[in-house]
Amino acid sequence: MLNEVVTAVIAGCLSTASIWQPDLEEEGGGILVCKLLLCGVNLEHINIDRIISKSSLVNHPHQRKMEFFYALALIAGILLAFILLVLIATFYDSFKAKIPPEVDQPSKLSLYHYFYTLVEILAKNSESLGIFKEHILIRLIFGGLPACKDSKLFIKDLHFDGVPVRIYLTRLPSASKRRGVIFFHGGCGMYGGIRSHERVCRYIARKSDSVVVSVGLVHFRYCLSPECKYPAQNLDCLTATIHFLKIAENYGVDPDRIIVCGDSVGGTFTANVCQELVNRTDIPKIRAQVMIYPFLQALNFNLPSHQKNAFTALLSRERTVHYILKYLNKDCSMKEALLAGSHVPASMNLKYRKWINPDLIPEKFKQGYEPPIPTSCVPQVHEETKELFETRFSPLLAEDAVICRLPEACIITCEHDVLRDDGLLYKKRLEDNDVKVTWYHIEEGFHGTIGFFGYSIFSFPSSSKIVDHAVNFIKGF
């Protein structure tokens, strides 16, 4: 991988610093100090005063000026080389992405994918060099832009049992109690926040005349990994939901008309919260659930949608598993084992085959599908990844006794999405257990498209189509 070359080049600078010490008194001290600082060398054990005092810089002002410019040129040269290597690596990695012509605005998506790949490579190399963690830079850049003031909505930040939330309420008075919508944002459990989905929540509140509660935590997001260990994210969403169900009437909400909604991992949290609450009799029941291209299982990464969209833009098959391991704070070297299915024992494959199986996918979604070569389980990998088989991580594994008691559902899937088949399989499970399902499939859609919603020319038609489908479903309650 070319991005590995980037790390190697800079790391080489760090390793060569050790040979400079004997020459510190031979060369201009100013230049060498600049070199050492640039390459991250610890100067605690180097006598800087001795270097400067014995260098010719003290007695030759002209040379001092020349060497100052030389030092600046050296720094600029290395930074330029680094940037060029990153751009080359990004261009190379971007070529691996397959952007079919039928996807929503392929040229625009290709540009966004190139930029995302650039940021990701910079983030990974920064972590490799010990500058900062990979997720920090990605959060900073893709956290969403602040939205303009909305005169039609009352917006306030609150805390529900210690979990920060943002509430959206239309200013126009209502003759009766409104419905409530609890929204969980996507972002692999590591990225995103209330701000990244601000425009989506505002739109839902205005168009459906609902009280919307967007669940977040520190910096307006729920407790994110890796700072907060799994399952802290699930528990925050559950805590906020229970609290709102108890006090909904305080906000003019009918407690019997509360809907939970989420995209991507937010869809995972939506499914999990509904499953967790099926046996609760002390609080109102959730009326409905909306899952937008949800992640719902981690047993099989070789379903038809995984094969078809293995190299799709923004969320590839490899990137999906990489984020899963990062989210769980696991060793990312296990990625290949998970992709091959070596984390699942034969007995578990047999047990869940009735629910997670390519044979359960409609034929029209299996064109070109080739069954993978069977692999044996690696016990060590299975032991290290047992969280993958918990229903709070893989809601598709819940027993029928739970599934049959779930509220009515709306599932939105996208054709150009590795997670497409998760939604299709969950749809079948719900229907097999007599749970009513409204399904929308966006033929030109791709994973992450609603993250661009509300950004005018920078958005996609599929972004609006998905949000409108969700709003129309919500308005039915």
Side-chain angles (χ1 to χ4, degrees):
M1 293 291 291
L2 284 179
N3 59 310
E4 294 175 354
V5 175
V6 177
T7 305
V9 170
I10 305 301
C13 293
L14 299 181
S15 63
T16 56
S18 60
I19 68 172
W20 292 343
Q21 181 66 36
D23 300 324
L24 289 177
E25 295 177 16
E26 299 292 332
E27 192 173 347
I31 293 178
L32 289 176
V33 169
C34 287
K35 287 179 179 178
L36 294 170
L37 287 172
L38 177 63
C39 294
V41 174
N42 190 339
L43 301 182
E44 291 181 359
H45 305 298
I46 297 177
N47 192 332
I48 301 298
D49 293 335
R50 186 162 175 256
I51 296 170
I52 300 299
S53 65
K54 292 198 175 187
S55 71
S56 56
L57 294 177
V58 176
N59 300 316
H60 301 282
H62 178 69
Q63 184 177 353
R64 178 164 62 247
K65 183 182 294 185
M66 292 298 294
E67 294 212 1
F68 173 73
F69 287 114
Y70 175 77
L72 289 180
L74 176 66
I75 293 173
I78 292 178
L79 289 176
L80 180 60
F82 175 73
I83 292 171
L84 287 174
L85 283 169
V86 168
L87 289 174
I88 292 170
T90 304
F91 190 65
Y92 172 78
D93 279 1
S94 294
F95 264 120
K96 295 194 304 182
K98 293 182 179 179
I99 302 178
E102 60 270 18
V103 76
D104 202 357
Q105 298 185 340
S107 297
K108 184 192 292 186
L109 179 58
S110 180
L111 178 64
Y112 288 170
H113 176 74
Y114 185 87
F115 179 67
Y116 182 82
T117 304
L118 171 63
V119 172
E120 188 177 55
I121 290 173
L122 283 170
K124 287 181 178 179
N125 289 320
S126 297
E127 180 170 316
S128 299
L129 296 172
I131 300 174
F132 48 73
K133 294 293 184 181
E134 174 185 342
H135 62 274
I136 299 298
L137 179 60
I138 297 177
R139 281 182 194 170
L140 180 66
I141 294 178
F142 297 110
L145 297 174
C148 298
K149 186 176 180 180
D150 193 327
S151 59
K152 296 181 180 180
L153 293 176
F154 172 80
I155 302 173
K156 187 174 183 179
D157 294 327
L158 302 168
H159 285 76
F160 285 176
D161 266 0
V163 179
V165 300
R166 180 169 290 175
I167 192 166
Y168 306 83
L169 173 66
T170 53
R171 292 185 180 276
L172 293 176
S174 175
S176 59
K177 291 182 179 178
R178 290 186 168 96
R179 71 181 64 80
V181 177
I182 304 173
F183 190 90
F184 307 130
H185 68 79
C188 309
M190 298 182 291
Y191 313 120
I194 287 179
R195 190 170 69 181
S196 66
H197 288 66
E198 176 85 2
R199 291 161 179 80
V200 174
C201 291
R202 289 186 180 191
Y203 186 84
I204 293 173
R206 288 196 308 269
K207 294 297 182 179
S208 68
D209 191 25
S210 303
V211 175
V212 177
V213 175
S214 185
V215 179
L217 195 57
V218 181
H219 305 303
F220 305 115
R221 56 175 72 92
Y222 49 69
C223 192
L224 295 178
S225 178
E227 293 88 351
C228 300
K229 306 295 184 184
Y230 165 86
Q233 300 77 17
N234 300 70
L235 298 177
D236 280 348
C237 293
L238 182 61
T239 297
T241 300
I242 292 172
H243 183 86
F244 186 60
L245 287 169
K246 291 179 177 178
I247 53 91
E249 292 184 281
N250 295 347
Y251 297 96
V253 172
D254 182 349
D256 294 321
R257 297 171 65 208
I258 294 177
I259 300 145
V260 287
C261 176
D263 70 304
S264 192
V265 75
T268 315
F269 299 144
T270 295
N272 173 242
V273 164
C274 289
Q275 291 180 6
E276 292 278 353
L277 296 180
V278 293
N279 293 319
R280 292 287 295 264
T281 58
D282 58 322
I283 53 177
K285 296 291 184 183
I286 290 174
R287 182 63 184 85
Q289 53 183 325
V290 180
M291 291 161 282
I292 301 169
Y293 43 69
F295 170 83
L296 296 168
Q297 62 86 27
L299 262 74
N300 191 334
F301 296 106
N302 289 285
L303 294 170
S305 63
H306 293 120
Q307 283 193 10
K308 177 183 178 180
N309 301 300
F311 301 102
T312 194
L314 301 184
L315 188 67
S316 66
R317 179 170 167 264
E318 285 192 7
R319 190 172 276 160
T320 300
V321 175
H322 173 77
Y323 286 151
I324 287 172
L325 293 170
K326 293 283 286 186
Y327 170 58
L328 294 175
N329 288 282
K330 302 294 183 181
D331 185 355
C332 289
S333 66
M334 294 188 291
K335 180 177 68 176
E336 294 301 324
L338 266 66
L339 288 170
S342 299
H343 61 301
V344 188
S347 59
M348 191 170 286
N349 264 325
L350 186 62
K351 175 182 178 181
Y352 293 118
R353 184 173 175 78
K354 58 184 176 181
W355 299 331
I356 303 174
N357 186 340
D359 295 339
L360 303 175
I361 304 296
E363 287 299 323
K364 69 175 184 177
F365 295 114
K366 294 196 292 185
Q367 295 179 8
Y369 174 69
E370 296 181 4
I373 299 173
T375 58
S376 57
C377 177
V378 179
Q380 183 179 354
V381 175
H382 172 68
E383 288 296 321
E384 286 290 323
T385 58
K386 281 189 172 182
E387 296 93 334
L388 300 179
F389 311 110
E390 297 176 359
T391 55
R392 61 165 47 118
F393 195 90
S394 297
L396 249 172
L397 304 185
E399 295 296 330
D400 286 339
V402 172
I403 298 294
C404 69
R405 302 176 64 188
L406 291 173
E408 184 174 340
C410 171
I411 297 177
I412 302 175
T413 55
C414 292
E415 182 61 27
H416 308 286
D417 179 13
V418 289
L419 304 183
R420 180 199 68 190
D421 291 350
D422 284 22
L424 295 179
L425 291 173
Y426 202 54
K427 170 181 176 290
K428 177 171 174 51
R429 284 218 63 199
L430 290 168
E431 290 175 337
D432 288 347
N433 283 273
D434 298 323
V435 176
K436 185 178 179 181
V437 178
T438 300
W439 172 54
Y440 299 106
H441 185 64
I442 314 300
E443 291 288 348
E444 72 279 15
F446 57 91
H447 195 90
T449 182
I450 73 165
F452 302 99
F453 178 82
Y455 285 99
S456 187
I457 62 172
F458 301 102
S459 186
F460 292 84
S462 59
S463 309
S464 299
K465 189 177 293 187
I466 288 174
V467 179
D468 283 335
H469 281 319
V471 166
N472 289 335
F473 176 80
I474 290 169
K475 288 168 69 175
F477 296 91

